[in-house]
Amino acid sequence: AEFVGPHKVVSTLAELLDQFDEEIEYAFGPTPMYSLSKAALIAATHAYSNLDPMAEKVLINAVCPGDVLTDMLTEEQRDEALSPWEASLDVASLILDPPRGETEGDTPLTGKFFRNRELAQW
């Protein structure tokens, strides 16, 4: 398999984003471009973390705090959504107490995706 560096991943994702017509709804829901951009961000996070020049000094992770009170939410979603302050706690927790691997002494995780302060699959 050919190694694809992070710059190629990001440029390929940018090309895909450029091909979307904002007037067309490609997926269920009102925000398909937002969903695609988040997937691109997570992929770029993983790709850049693999460069590893300063892996133990700079951690690169993506965070999804869940639904946050924004104009994108429906009225029903707003009832259960987090305030921006509450959502920022997920980011702060990764900064102040970076999660580590399974065993004692493991280095902090990088290139990962977190949701609700837990490691998530994407």
Side-chain angles (χ1 to χ4, degrees):
E2 179 183 338
F3 173 75
V4 177
H7 300 293
K8 178 64 175 169
V9 170
V10 171
S11 67
T12 301
L13 291 169
E15 289 171 16
L16 286 173
L17 287 170
D18 287 341
Q19 294 176 19
F20 280 82
D21 183 340
E22 292 182 15
E23 300 298 317
I24 298 173
E25 185 172 321
Y26 290 93
F28 176 77
T31 60
M33 291 301 292
Y34 179 81
S35 298
L36 181 61
S37 70
K38 294 301 131 191
L41 176 64
I42 295 167
T45 297
H46 181 71
Y48 278 111
S49 73
N50 286 330
L51 288 177
D52 199 38
M54 297 178 61
E56 293 189 27
K57 295 181 181 178
V58 178
L59 305 178
I60 303 171
N61 290 304
V63 180
C64 174
D67 289 338
V68 180
L69 287 171
T70 66
D71 293 339
M72 290 175 41
L73 299 181
T74 65
E75 283 303 315
E76 297 81 32
Q77 292 171 316
R78 294 179 73 76
D79 292 338
E80 301 291 322
L82 300 172
S83 71
W85 170 257
E86 291 168 317
S88 71
L89 297 176
D90 282 0
V91 176
S93 72
L94 285 177
I95 295 168
L96 298 174
D97 187 20
R100 297 179 178 273
E102 297 278 327
T103 60
E104 184 74 26
D106 278 348
T107 58
L109 298 177
T110 189
K112 304 297 181 188
F113 174 53
F114 292 88
R115 182 176 174 95
N116 300 320
R117 300 185 193 160
E118 298 288 329
L119 186 60
Q121 298 301 313
W122 64 280

